[in-house]
Amino acid sequence: QVQLVESGGGSVQAGGSLRLSCAASGRTFSTLAMGWFRQAPGKEREFVAAVGGSGTGYKLYYADSVQGRFAISRYNALNTVYLQMNSLKPEDTAVYYCSARRNGMDYWGKGTLVTVSS
């Protein structure tokens, strides 16, 4: 089983930056597809960014709302995926969840809160 732990959330002003981290358990991290989702109060959970596993060549995907501002990356040696968030906007305020997918199974972290004030 895969366990995921997010960190790096906090409160920043609009225009600021923040980097989220997600540490995963296991010895086959490189084969996992990793992603970030977020859920704002009163809204549905939405996709933010993802990076494929080794079998996909670590292909990158981004939601239109964060394209050009956010960047997902992974450091396999530390079983960690990152989400670099720049030019943050108040509408980015949400609980951010780390996810993993392999062999048809999905795993989720507990989330980390990001608050962006104007």
Side-chain angles (χ1 to χ4, degrees):
Q1 301 299 304
V2 177
Q3 296 183 79
L4 306 171
V5 181
E6 303 98 333
S7 62
S11 181
V12 298
Q13 292 188 339
S17 298
L18 203 62
R19 188 179 76 163
L20 305 183
S21 298
C22 174
S25 64
R27 299 179 61 187
T28 55
F29 176 76
S30 63
T31 67
L32 290 168
M34 302 294 299
W36 289 94
F37 292 74
R38 67 187 183 187
Q39 186 167 25
K43 293 187 175 182
E44 297 294 316
R45 183 176 62 186
E46 66 175 345
F47 169 77
V48 176
V51 54
S54 58
T56 72
Y58 306 113
K59 188 174 178 63
L60 303 176
Y61 304 86
Y62 294 99
D64 290 342
S65 60
V66 306
Q67 182 72 47
R69 298 189 299 120
F70 291 10
I72 188 170
S73 62
R74 63 194 299 160
Y75 188 38
N76 292 335
L78 291 179
N79 275 27
T80 303
V81 64
Y82 306 94
L83 183 68
Q84 178 65 48
M85 304 184 293
N86 299 323
S87 301
L88 284 163
K89 305 174 181 179
E91 49 263 47
D92 293 319
T93 295
V95 175
Y96 284 70
Y97 297 92
C98 179
S99 68
R101 172 175 288 176
R102 182 172 59 205
N103 297 330
M105 297 292 295
D106 291 336
Y107 306 88
W108 297 91
K110 293 182 178 180
T112 185
L113 178 63
V114 172
T115 302
V116 184
S117 60
S118 60

